[in-house]
Amino acid sequence: EVQLLESGGGLVQPGGSLRLSCAASGFTFSSYVMSWVRQAPGKGLEWVSGISSSGGSTYFADSVKGRFTISRDNSKNTLYLQMNSLRAEDTAVYYCAKDRWTSGHSSFDYWGQGTLVTVSS
Amino acid sequence: EIVLTQSPGTLSLSPGERATLSCRASQSVSSSYLTWYQQRPGQAPRLLIYGASSRATGIPDRFSGSGSGTDFTLTISRLEPEDFAVYYCQQYGSSPLTFGGGTKVEIK
């Protein structure tokens, strides 16, 4: 059974940093593209960042480019999102999502339950 | 960036009725790389349809997707109580990946 378990969310002040983790199991993690998708309270879904199966290629939404970095440790089956210079508008539930494809970006066939990030003073 | 516009914003229907949801793209979605998700309150999104018309594993056949180019449709043939939720479309034909704003299907 595929499982994605996010952690690391919490309350942070504007300008602060936070690192999210996503522990994956039930599939060959190193074979798949992975992404982070967020959802602000009461709002829709926004793709944030993606990473190739090897970790060699990374992709970001314009709204987070230069502030967020994505990485993965295939030996630990774990995906990360380092978030710096956080703003109030980054407040959201952050989901880890598994891509259906092994290269490029497609749609997401498995999602974690999400971790809430609140940026507020 | 491809902008996806979903309509209507809210659909009020009764169990057993047919639901038709629209997703319109600001430019053509290549290879019909269009996906539909269902999101129930307090839950993560669930993949329903990919490639515009292919049902994901375990999705009941009352859900169907159609369309190409800029106009796509999700149809739920007979609404079951568990189908009342928010539905999102997403395109993966070009970068960045984008989602529509969602359609809420509520009980009338």
Side-chain angles (χ1 to χ4, degrees):
Chain A
E1 178 193 4
V2 172
Q3 290 194 339
L4 299 170
L5 185 61
E6 302 96 337
S7 60
L11 175 63
V12 61
Q13 292 188 337
S17 298
L18 213 53
R19 188 198 199 200
L20 306 183
S21 299
C22 171
S25 61
F27 66 103
T28 305
F29 179 74
S30 60
S31 293
Y32 290 90
V33 176
M34 297 293 295
S35 282
W36 291 95
V37 177
R38 69 184 180 184
Q39 186 169 36
K43 302 297 184 183
L45 301 167
E46 179 189 17
W47 173 80
V48 172
S49 181
I51 187 167
S52 63
S53 56
S54 67
S57 296
T58 58
Y59 312 88
F60 298 93
D62 285 346
S63 58
V64 305
K65 202 171 291 183
R67 300 187 299 122
F68 290 12
T69 57
I70 188 172
S71 61
R72 64 193 296 164
D73 186 335
N74 286 342
S75 68
K76 295 182 178 179
N77 290 349
T78 303
L79 175 72
Y80 302 100
L81 185 67
Q82 177 67 44
M83 305 184 294
N84 298 330
S85 303
L86 283 161
R87 307 166 180 167
E89 54 264 36
D90 296 318
T91 294
V93 173
Y94 284 74
Y95 293 103
C96 165
K98 172 189 170 293
D99 204 290
R100 286 192 305 111
W101 289 352
T102 56
S103 64
H105 278 296
S106 67
S107 44
F108 308 116
D109 54 0
Y110 291 95
W111 298 64
Q113 280 306 299
T115 186
L116 176 62
V117 172
T118 303
V119 184
S120 174
S121 55
Chain B
E1 167 176 323
I2 295 180
V3 177
L4 299 177
T5 302
Q6 292 187 242
S7 61
T10 302
L11 200 49
S12 298
L13 294 167
S14 300
E17 289 194 295
R18 181 184 187 92
T20 303
L21 288 65
S22 173
C23 176
R24 180 161 291 177
S26 60
Q27 55 189 281
S28 184
V29 177
S30 63
S31 304
S32 294
Y33 285 159
L34 194 287
T35 291
W36 290 93
Y37 300 94
Q38 175 194 68
Q39 187 177 34
R40 295 170 178 148
Q43 295 187 14
R46 172 194 182 198
L47 176 65
L48 296 176
I49 302 286
Y50 62 90
S53 61
S54 297
R55 267 189 305 276
T57 303
I59 301 304
D61 60 6
R62 64 180 181 273
F63 291 92
S64 63
S66 63
S68 64
T70 60
D71 289 298
F72 299 88
T73 300
L74 174 70
T75 301
I76 311 170
S77 58
R78 294 172 309 280
L79 284 164
E80 297 287 339
E82 62 268 27
D83 299 338
F84 292 92
V86 180
Y87 293 83
Y88 294 96
C89 58
Q90 176 232 327
Q91 67 80 23
Y92 52 102
S94 68
S95 186
L97 305 179
T98 51
F99 290 87
T103 290
K104 181 179 182 180
V105 178
E106 65 175 24
I107 299 176
K108 186 175 182 179

